[in-house]
Amino acid sequence: MAGEKPSVELCKGVNGLDKVVLRDALGSSAEVYLFGGHVTSWRTDHREELLFVSNKAIFKPPKAIRGGIPICFPQFSSHGNLEQHGFARNKFWSIDSDPPPFPSDSSSKTFVDLILKPTDDDFKIWPHRFLSFSQQFLLLVCHFVSCFLFFFFCFLIMLDSFLLQVASTCVNKYLIFYYSYEFRLRVALGLGGDLMLTSRIRNTNADGKPFSFTFAYHTYFSVSDISEVRVEGLETLDYLDNLKERERFTEQGDAITFESGVDKIYLSTPTKIAIIDHEKKRTFVLRKDGLPDAVVWNPWDRKAKAMPDFGDDEYKHMLCVEAAAIEKPITLKPGEEWKGRLELSAVPSSYCSGQLDPRKVLQG
């Protein structure tokens, strides 16, 4: 309610999972689960929920939560060797009580900083790992011993081969691999109840090797009826159609409306996109930075019935429009940092009457 003091509270959520509840002075709120660094709620000062979370969502790790804003990292969808949408949404994050200076253009005091720290299991599923100095030194010693034995004791060639095999096994089995990234996330409530997410990913490799990743804020918006929704700002753009083996097409000049399932990756998109809900007389304005692509997804009836954590008819009341970096993976050299920012606003539909005026929304 209006007049409340801004607050950040750590408490228990579904199934006893830790979550952080943000509340601003005007009554807007957001909830973030530490499991997945996952925003599951964003409410207006009138307590109206703006994000969709399935009634069948499974709040039981390691299963990702269906709805809200899952974070897809270091892989979007199934386009790679990792599990669907990577592992960030399936990991437990920690509250970062003493983060480094966080660049932001907002004066919001209602925020939480999270950090995703590598676990011992991460190197098994993501190949961006490296040997520590001691491990490299051990391999170098083994190499010189091998050369010495080869040149001066030819009859020990068989033993030489065995020695190398044993050394390699020891390095991989008993010595620690140090993971190569640092992922920091700030979730904040801005003026007017805007929701802001800022991700910072840094390459912390010590061996000089870069790594690449794809990324998306997989945002599920709550809508009145998918047939009453249109998306503006993506007209005439090229897109990859995931329902047609990622074949490339060009969008028509009209706003995007929905009569069947959709799974498209729009390329080189503007920094602002509008999602207009005619029945609720509400427009979501999505602003993004560092995220050139945008995904539009709705499973429709057949796929909805095939998902155990999604209601058969819930597709009618949700739409995913996701700020993303997919077509051209982000590559970071050691010490480099990437930042991807998403800002969501909900405004009355009078803000967009008739055809959307780009000067008022998409550029304003």
Side-chain angles (χ1 to χ4, degrees):
M1 296 176 62
E4 293 181 351
K5 291 184 178 180
S7 65
V8 180
E9 177 187 6
L10 176 64
C11 58
K12 296 295 182 181
V14 180
N15 291 334
L17 293 174
D18 289 331
K19 69 177 181 179
V20 177
V21 180
L22 308 177
R23 295 185 180 88
D24 71 7
L26 298 178
S28 298
S29 66
E31 296 183 0
V32 190
Y33 275 76
L34 297 191
F35 173 63
H38 197 134
V39 177
T40 57
S41 177
W42 171 37
R43 294 180 182 269
T44 69
D45 53 357
H46 299 295
R47 307 301 192 198
E48 182 180 10
E49 181 59 64
L50 301 174
L51 298 178
F52 166 87
V53 173
S54 174
N55 290 325
K56 291 188 174 182
I58 301 171
F59 288 75
K60 187 176 181 180
K63 175 67 176 177
I65 301 168
R66 174 69 68 182
I69 310 180
I71 291 178
C72 303
F73 169 84
Q75 172 184 298
F76 175 77
S77 188
S78 57
H79 307 299
N81 298 322
L82 301 180
E83 60 187 304
Q84 177 89 353
H85 292 319
F87 53 72
R89 64 180 188 151
N90 306 102
K91 298 289 186 180
F92 282 96
W93 296 56
S94 302
I95 294 176
D96 193 354
S97 57
D98 187 24
F102 209 104
S104 175
D105 58 3
S106 171
S107 59
S108 172
K109 295 182 179 180
T110 310
F111 62 86
V112 62
D113 287 310
L114 303 180
I115 184 168
L116 179 61
K117 297 181 178 180
T119 66
D120 292 340
D121 292 332
D122 285 345
F123 70 84
K124 298 177 183 178
I125 57 176
W126 198 31
H128 297 296
R129 62 181 191 249
F130 65 93
L131 297 177
S132 67
F133 176 79
S134 60
Q135 293 169 330
Q136 295 179 50
F137 179 75
L138 175 59
L139 287 181
L140 186 63
V141 169
C142 289
H143 174 73
F144 279 116
V145 171
S146 173
C147 291
F148 177 80
L149 292 175
F150 177 80
F151 285 112
F152 295 99
F153 302 96
C154 292
F155 64 93
L156 293 178
I157 290 178
M158 292 296 294
L159 179 61
D160 170 48
S161 177
F162 176 73
L163 177 63
L164 282 177
Q165 184 177 359
V166 170
S168 177
T169 300
C170 290
V171 167
N172 283 282
K173 185 174 181 179
Y174 299 109
L175 296 182
I176 298 174
F177 286 89
Y178 293 90
Y179 211 61
S180 58
Y181 75 92
E182 180 181 82
F183 191 153
R184 297 180 184 274
L185 171 69
R186 172 169 289 186
V187 180
L189 286 173
L191 298 176
D194 293 354
L195 179 64
M196 297 174 290
L197 286 80
T198 305
S199 291
R200 294 191 300 173
I201 298 170
R202 177 178 291 273
N203 183 338
T204 56
N205 263 345
D207 65 348
K209 293 182 179 179
F211 67 75
S212 300
F213 62 91
T214 52
F215 182 95
Y217 291 113
H218 197 324
T219 309
Y220 288 72
F221 292 98
S222 175
V223 300
S224 59
D225 189 315
I226 189 63
S227 64
E228 295 293 327
V229 174
R230 76 176 192 266
V231 177
E232 301 199 6
L234 303 176
E235 301 88 344
T236 73
L237 297 181
D238 285 356
Y239 65 86
L240 305 177
D241 194 333
N242 286 321
L243 300 181
K244 298 181 179 179
E245 298 182 349
R246 300 193 79 187
E247 188 174 352
R248 191 174 185 128
F249 298 92
T250 300
E251 190 60 70
Q252 300 301 309
D254 297 330
I256 301 169
T257 56
F258 303 93
E259 298 178 350
S260 62
V262 60
D263 189 356
K264 299 177 179 179
I265 304 171
Y266 289 85
L267 310 174
S268 301
T269 60
T271 57
K272 298 181 184 180
I273 301 169
I275 302 125
I276 303 165
D277 190 332
H278 294 288
E279 187 172 319
K280 286 193 175 181
K281 296 182 173 59
R282 180 176 65 202
T283 296
F284 292 109
V285 181
L286 183 157
R287 299 175 175 86
K288 58 191 179 70
D289 182 58
L291 299 158
D293 305 321
V295 180
V296 178
W297 180 73
N298 183 289
W300 222 252
D301 54 351
R302 181 176 296 182
K303 187 169 183 178
K305 292 177 181 179
M307 294 188 292
D309 59 348
F310 196 92
D312 290 355
D313 294 323
E314 287 186 325
Y315 74 93
K316 298 178 181 178
H317 306 296
M318 56 72 61
L319 176 65
C320 286
V321 180
E322 313 165 30
I326 301 170
E327 183 192 24
K328 299 177 181 178
I330 305 297
T331 299
L332 296 178
K333 297 177 182 178
E336 289 184 339
E337 181 179 272
W338 169 84
K339 183 174 76 169
R341 187 172 185 273
L342 171 67
E343 181 176 345
L344 303 176
S345 306
V347 298
S349 59
S350 57
Y351 191 67
C352 311
S353 58
Q355 288 296 311
L356 184 65
D357 183 349
R359 292 172 296 180
K360 291 184 178 180
V361 176
L362 302 182
Q363 298 177 6

